[in-house]
Amino acid sequence: MNGHCNGNGSDVATDDFHYNNGFSEVSVKKAVVVPASVHRKEEEEEVQGRLPVLQAAYSSILRELGEDVDRQGLLRTPLRAAKAMQFFTRGYHQTVEGVLNDAIFDEDHNEMVIVKGIDMFSLCEHHLVPFFGKVHIGYIPNKKVVGLSKLARIVEIFSRRLQVQERLTKQIAMGLSNALQPKGVAVVIEASHMCMVMRGVQKMNSRTVTSSMLGIYLEDPKTREEFLSLTQH
Amino acid sequence: MDHSKQTEFTLTDKKDSGDATLVINGHFDGVVKRPPAALQGPAAESGSHRSAQSVTESWKEEHTRSVEDNEVSLPSLAEAYTTILRGLGEDPHRQGLAKTPWRAATAMQFFTKGYQETIIDVLNDAIFDEDHDEMVIVKDIDVFSMCEHHLVPIIGRVHIGYLPNKRVLGLSKLARIVEIYSRRLQVQERLTKQIAVAITEALHPTGVGVIIEATHMCMVMRGVQKMNSKTITSTMLGVFREDPKTRDEFLTLLSCQPAMYNDWQNKVFQSMAEDCVKSGSTHHTS
């Protein structure tokens, strides 16, 4: 599995974070050799190739749950559920570089930029049940700004995976900071976990809030406070 | 294991106690298999004995699952989930995913536990003779179901109203009926109807109205990806269907905003805090 998998967290970015106080001197590594379009096509074919296996697994699940797999409503459900699950985990096949699409611009701006209220949908890796909420991202550019929708696309890459909310928050922050090398990045996620709402403790109104502060947001409480007050309202 | 096979029925249920006739017309999906003839005999009797008997005769639902079935099928469910994890390109042996197949399998069994339960078990004889013939509404019942097409959650609220005919139902039993039918692989239209028909068959009220407004994650998280869309379905039976004024009263009472528990709680805490500040002390004043 490629390094963007949620594997063991000991990738270069995390080491950089610990040893270099958040920011790597090395610029973003670009994909080499294989043209992006070919790479994407291979990935798509691989994803398609896995569909029958997933379908069979879902048929087995329906049967074991006591349902009648031949009834009209369930006839194509294994295929639909398999495709839906692949959609929910398509972030594994995307990279930050691929998605940023060179939408990084030189701009003499060093004030805070915030994109808040980004809807986020992910899957809890423990129960395979959705959790969803809103992401607020702020960063202070260092002569380079990124296209605003790219922030939402970075959220999509990391959220469309089997996730844990803490890890998701950090990956978004690290992904952005690696791509832009800004002065600071702040990410706050507030989400509702269906594994807590639909089952288990069944607490309807509970929300989980996680945050990741890098660079100047970590060092300077006033900057952090400004971000938090701008995103709460 | 064929309770969920779609069967088309046209049901008629005539009460002959002299009150308004309750007629359910239309096709029904066969979760409750009930030949119309079964109700002709019991309909002639009166009293709670009739309700129990007709309940027993009405709901010849087959259990598709028992608790033992759950235990037996857990390993194969877990195996299917392991296959899914591998098929998605994940590593099923990494720490976060090591026990996920079992958790996901148990969770899915919980989300479909409606197949293990029947109405009779859940009503628990909580049907009472009460000289009440005004509308009873239980609204904002949280409902969670699974879309049978994509196996993705449906989240919403159910509002139930009924006009009793000398028999009322324990209020929580309405929510329990919702649970039985919602904790299945469902289609919102069918869910609405099943709840309405179940209440009708249990109580033989003058009328029943059920409204569900829900968000379908299959539309929100994938596909068209419309975050704010809501699907609303309703089933009106008996006098709710025939009399527009009754229906109007039901809909109006649903849209009024009585105090929420959370609001009330906040007001209490706020006044307690104000009392503390006024008295200048840090402990509660009475």
Side-chain angles (χ1 to χ4, degrees), chain B residues 198-212:
Chain B
I199 297 169
T200 307
E201 292 182 346
L203 281 188
H204 302 286
T206 317
V208 175
V210 176
I211 296 178
I212 300 185

Side-chain angles (χ1 to χ4, degrees), chain A residues 10-67:
Chain A
S10 60
D11 51 331
V12 173
T14 319
D15 289 343
D16 268 341
F17 171 68
H18 288 300
Y19 297 115
N20 296 342
N21 205 25
F23 292 91
S24 168
E25 301 300 332
V26 179
S27 62
V28 172
K29 296 179 189 55
K30 293 223 190 297
V32 290
V33 184
V34 183
S37 54
V38 173
H39 197 59
R40 253 200 310 275
K41 193 156 177 278
E42 282 172 3
E43 292 259 25
E44 276 169 27
E45 280 168 7
E46 198 189 332
V47 159
Q48 274 289 103
R50 291 200 178 130
L51 213 47
V53 171
L54 291 174
Q55 258 182 275
Y58 275 110
S59 290
S60 156
I61 287 172
L62 290 178
R63 223 172 292 116
E64 295 295 337
L65 291 175
E67 262 285 7

Side-chain angles (χ1 to χ4, degrees), chain B residues 205-223:
Chain B
T206 317
V208 175
V210 176
I211 296 178
I212 300 185
E213 46 177 341
T215 307
H216 290 240
M217 288 292 116
C218 55
M219 267 181 78
V220 167
M221 285 178 73
R222 60 165 288 290

Side-chain angles (χ1 to χ4, degrees), chain A residues 59 87 154 168 205 214 231:
Chain A
S59 290
F87 182 88
I154 293 176
L168 171 60
N205 301 315
L214 301 179
T231 51

Side-chain angles (χ1 to χ4, degrees), chain A:
Chain A
M1 192 64 200
N2 63 39
H4 297 279
C5 170
N6 290 337
N8 45 23
S10 60
D11 51 331
V12 173
T14 319
D15 289 343
D16 268 341
F17 171 68
H18 288 300
Y19 297 115
N20 296 342
N21 205 25
F23 292 91
S24 168
E25 301 300 332
V26 179
S27 62
V28 172
K29 296 179 189 55
K30 293 223 190 297
V32 290
V33 184
V34 183
S37 54
V38 173
H39 197 59
R40 253 200 310 275
K41 193 156 177 278
E42 282 172 3
E43 292 259 25
E44 276 169 27
E45 280 168 7
E46 198 189 332
V47 159
Q48 274 289 103
R50 291 200 178 130
L51 213 47
V53 171
L54 291 174
Q55 258 182 275
Y58 275 110
S59 290
S60 156
I61 287 172
L62 290 178
R63 223 172 292 116
E64 295 295 337
L65 291 175
E67 262 285 7
D68 170 16
V69 262
D70 296 318
R71 71 172 172 91
Q72 191 208 32
L74 294 186
L75 269 180
R76 294 185 62 210
T77 292
L79 177 62
R80 285 185 292 240
K83 282 190 178 163
M85 191 53 105
Q86 284 186 328
F87 182 88
F88 296 145
T89 52
R90 65 183 182 155
Y92 288 129
H93 309 291
Q94 296 168 323
T95 63
V96 174
E97 299 87 20
V99 129
L100 283 188
N101 208 15
D102 288 332
I104 298 179
F105 309 105
D106 297 316
E107 199 70 40
D108 190 15
H109 184 82
N110 57 0
E111 301 283 347
M112 202 180 299
V113 177
I114 297 177
V115 178
K116 64 179 193 173
I118 301 170
D119 291 305
M120 175 276 302
F121 302 93
S122 190
L123 278 185
C124 154
E125 71 176 17
H126 300 140
H127 301 93
L128 302 185
V129 162
F131 68 94
F132 45 84
K134 291 201 188 276
V135 185
H136 312 295
I137 302 179
Y139 73 101
I140 299 186
N142 190 9
K143 306 295 186 202
K144 282 199 291 202
V145 298
V146 71
L148 295 171
S149 73
K150 305 301 179 249
L151 293 171
R153 287 189 188 273
I154 293 176
V155 169
E156 273 284 295
I157 291 177
F158 293 115
S159 61
R160 297 291 186 180
R161 300 181 177 192
L162 303 185
Q163 273 288 9
V164 156
Q165 192 177 326
E166 297 88 334
R167 186 196 309 136
L168 171 60
T169 320
K170 190 156 194 175
Q171 283 178 323
I172 295 171
M174 297 296 303
L176 187 57
S177 77
N178 287 342
L180 271 193
Q181 286 91 46
K183 291 194 178 132
V185 177
V187 177
V188 170
I189 300 185
E190 180 175 338
S192 184
H193 289 243
M194 287 298 106
C195 56
M196 268 182 78
V197 168
M198 284 177 74
R199 60 164 290 289
V201 280
Q202 298 194 59
K203 295 296 179 190
M204 269 292 300
N205 301 315
S206 67
R207 300 272 183 277
T208 305
V209 181
T210 52
S211 66
S212 185
M213 305 287 170
L214 301 179
I216 197 174
Y217 284 96
L218 189 61
E219 294 154 14
D220 182 5
K222 289 218 163 69
T223 313
R224 197 157 62 238
E225 210 182 297
E226 185 186 339
F227 170 71
L228 292 175
S229 71
L230 285 171
T231 51
Q232 290 315 310
H233 307 291

Side-chain angles (χ1 to χ4, degrees), chain B residues 139-140 252-260:
Chain B
K139 67 178 201 171
D140 293 333
T252 311
L253 286 170
L254 283 188
S255 56
C256 71
Q257 301 283 332
M260 297 280 288

